[in-house]
């Protein structure tokens, strides 16, 4: 049972406040509130792109507030490419694609570190092309089309 005196934290010991401060620094956001808005928006959008297994495992790596944002959306049946994800986020937030890309990178680089290399590799394998860069990783190979 969680203590009311201690905020929920991820297995890494990072609280939601710590994650927001990291994202605020990475994204150069002027306020914690702006970092929190961006974080919740990006996590909700990411949650709609992930398969249930990876989404559940990633949520377990995050503090409860971030996990709730990640799992609050129904998975999309037609996953977006990395660029499609950024464009969709841009439209949803009313920002430019460059701003949406910046926001996405600030959040997903932090989330990727919390996920760890094994889970991140599985997430990237499950997602369409273009997400590795959003997580701050090199996209070293193109996916091979599935055999018919």
């Amino acid at each position: 049972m969680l203590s009311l005196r201690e905020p929920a934290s991820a297995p890494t010991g990072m609280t939601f406040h710590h994650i927001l401060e990291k994202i605020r620094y990475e994204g150069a956001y002027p306020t914690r509130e702006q970092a929190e808005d961006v974080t919740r928006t990006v996590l909700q959008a990411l949650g709609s792109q992930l398969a249930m297994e990876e989404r559940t495992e990633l949520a377990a790596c995050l503090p409860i507030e971030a996990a709730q944002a990640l799992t609050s959306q129904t998975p999309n049946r037609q996953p977006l490419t990395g660029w499609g994800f950024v464009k969709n986020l841009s439209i949803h937030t009313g920002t430019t694609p460059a701003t949406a890309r910046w926001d996405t990178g600030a959040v997903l680089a932090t989330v990727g570190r919390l996920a760890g290399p094994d889970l991140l590799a599985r997430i990237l394998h499950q997602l369409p092309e273009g997400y590795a860069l959003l997580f701050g990783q090199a996209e070293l190979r193109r996916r091979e089309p599935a055999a018919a």
Side-chain angles (χ1 to χ4, degrees):
M1 180 171 204
L2 291 175
S3 166
L4 295 177
R5 294 183 184 157
E6 295 180 31
S9 63
T12 61
M14 287 189 78
T15 65
F16 189 56
H17 176 77
H18 289 121
I19 290 172
L20 291 179
E21 286 304 315
K22 180 80 173 144
I23 292 168
R24 181 179 175 195
Y25 176 79
E26 295 281 332
Y29 299 111
T31 66
R32 182 178 174 271
E33 291 75 22
Q34 187 177 4
E36 183 171 352
D37 289 344
V38 165
T39 300
R40 289 183 189 278
T41 300
V42 171
L43 287 175
Q44 287 171 350
L46 178 64
S48 72
Q49 298 300 304
L50 294 176
M52 189 59 77
E53 184 178 340
E54 285 79 13
R55 185 166 84 151
T56 301
E57 286 187 50
L58 181 56
C61 297
L62 303 173
I64 188 74
E65 301 90 339
Q68 287 173 335
L70 181 74
T71 59
S72 68
Q73 301 295 312
T74 304
N76 189 342
R77 292 177 189 220
Q78 291 289 77
L80 301 168
T81 65
W83 176 238
F85 180 85
V86 169
K87 287 192 312 187
N88 192 50
L89 194 64
S90 170
I91 292 166
H92 176 72
T93 59
T95 61
T96 66
T99 299
R101 169 60 181 93
W102 181 269
D103 293 344
T104 301
V107 174
L108 295 187
T110 300
V111 168
R113 285 190 292 273
L114 291 173
D118 294 337
L119 177 55
L120 181 57
R122 287 198 343 261
I123 288 170
L124 292 175
H125 183 73
Q126 179 251 308
L127 289 168
E129 186 176 289
Y131 281 86
L133 292 174
L134 299 177
F135 279 94
Q137 304 289 308
E139 186 136 10
L140 301 176
R141 64 178 175 84
R142 291 198 176 272
R143 298 177 120 199
E144 296 297 322

